Amino acid sequence: MNVSLTIDEKPGALHAFAALDILVLIMLLGFVATTLVHRAGVAVQLPTSETKFPVANEALVLTVKGAVEPVFYIGSRLVSEKDLVSTLRRKRDEEGLRMVLLRADSRLPATWERRLSEIILSEGLECGWLAEPALLQTNS
């Protein structure tokens, strides 16, 4: 005796669920792929320095681009000058921020350097300036 089990070949609910699964997977792949896209940082030309100091893991990098009217970035997110203090204060209070590292263009005027340092220090945060390592000259 030969017994076989067959499934009805007419499209029904089972086929609709399979199609729905495929659509959901395609949509999910689209959402995940957009978050994996490489996001380039903000390019600035750093000054050189021979000085080194240790940096805490909790440090925030504030990028300052431009010379005349600087533009501020925290990560790759643009921050306006008027929102800078409130953003630093919120990160200090909510996330335990202790240090801000300034990654500023080498053309940034000294008045802006001083102003930014004063803003950061007035919020009770440590302030550091990032620079490219200077090449050491060896006399032979």
Side-chain angles (χ1 to χ4, degrees):
M1 171 167 158
N2 190 4
V3 178
S4 65
L5 180 63
T6 61
I7 298 178
D8 191 10
E9 292 294 326
K10 289 186 265 179
L14 186 61
H15 294 88
F17 283 129
L20 184 64
D21 284 346
I22 292 171
L23 287 174
V24 169
L25 286 173
I26 290 172
M27 288 175 36
L28 185 64
L29 182 63
F31 289 128
V32 170
T34 57
T35 60
L36 297 176
V37 173
H38 175 69
R39 294 182 182 171
V42 180
V44 294
Q45 182 179 355
L46 294 175
T48 59
S49 175
E50 294 178 4
T51 306
K52 295 180 183 181
F53 60 91
V55 176
N57 289 337
E58 297 84 23
L60 173 119
V61 177
L62 173 64
T63 303
V64 184
K65 185 171 178 80
V68 179
E69 288 295 322
V71 181
F72 307 102
Y73 296 90
I74 294 178
S76 61
R77 189 175 64 93
L78 182 66
V79 177
S80 67
E81 183 183 351
K82 66 179 183 167
D83 293 335
L84 184 61
V85 173
S86 61
T87 302
L88 292 175
R89 190 172 292 151
R90 182 176 45 79
K91 290 200 175 280
R92 179 197 64 201
D93 295 341
E94 294 174 6
E95 300 174 17
L97 178 66
R98 293 184 6 223
M99 176 181 255
V100 176
L101 296 173
L102 284 155
R103 185 176 165 257
D105 201 320
S106 62
R107 299 171 296 148
L108 188 70
T111 54
W112 272 101
E113 291 178 5
R114 180 176 173 217
R115 183 175 173 187
L116 289 171
S117 294
E118 287 174 352
I119 288 171
I120 292 167
L121 293 172
S122 69
E123 291 302 317
L125 299 167
E126 296 177 43
C127 179
W129 289 82
L130 293 176
E132 293 288 332
L135 297 176
L136 296 175
Q137 299 290 332
T138 56
N139 296 335
S140 352

